[in-house]
Amino acid sequence: MGFLEKLTLTPGEIRRDDIAPMRKAGVSDKAIEDAIYVCTYFNIIDRIADSLDFEVLSSETFAQRAGNFLREGYL
């Protein structure tokens, strides 16, 4: 998670040795790559939402709508 935080907040400071702790913990290169893709996509959508001033729903509203998403197939 620290790596993804650094990737989000200071991407220009990412170095090869930032990945070493994940590898040492047994995380595969494929899993690291997948995490980078998910982080990147989330950050893109987050920045678009911020720039367009999207409304963020409350936790209660998210919880109320979760059942609808599951019934409609939005997983």
Side-chain angles (χ1 to χ4, degrees):
M1 295 304 291
F3 171 78
L4 297 178
E5 181 178 24
K6 184 174 181 178
L7 181 61
T8 297
L9 299 176
T10 56
E13 295 178 14
I14 294 291
R15 301 290 178 257
R16 181 177 303 268
D17 47 326
D18 290 316
I19 295 174
M22 292 184 287
R23 287 186 174 142
K24 185 175 181 180
V27 179
S28 71
D29 285 348
K30 177 66 174 140
I32 294 169
E33 181 180 344
D34 288 347
I36 291 169
Y37 283 135
V38 170
C39 180
T40 300
Y41 294 142
F42 183 87
N43 283 320
I44 290 169
I45 296 302
D46 188 52
R47 285 168 174 85
I48 290 170
D50 285 349
S51 69
L52 297 175
D53 200 26
F54 283 10
E55 178 184 352
V56 177
L57 302 176
S58 68
S59 297
E60 294 80 19
T61 302
F62 275 121
Q64 290 170 349
R65 294 183 182 181
N68 293 336
F69 290 136
L70 291 172
R71 279 191 298 279
E72 299 297 323
Y74 298 100
L75 297 176

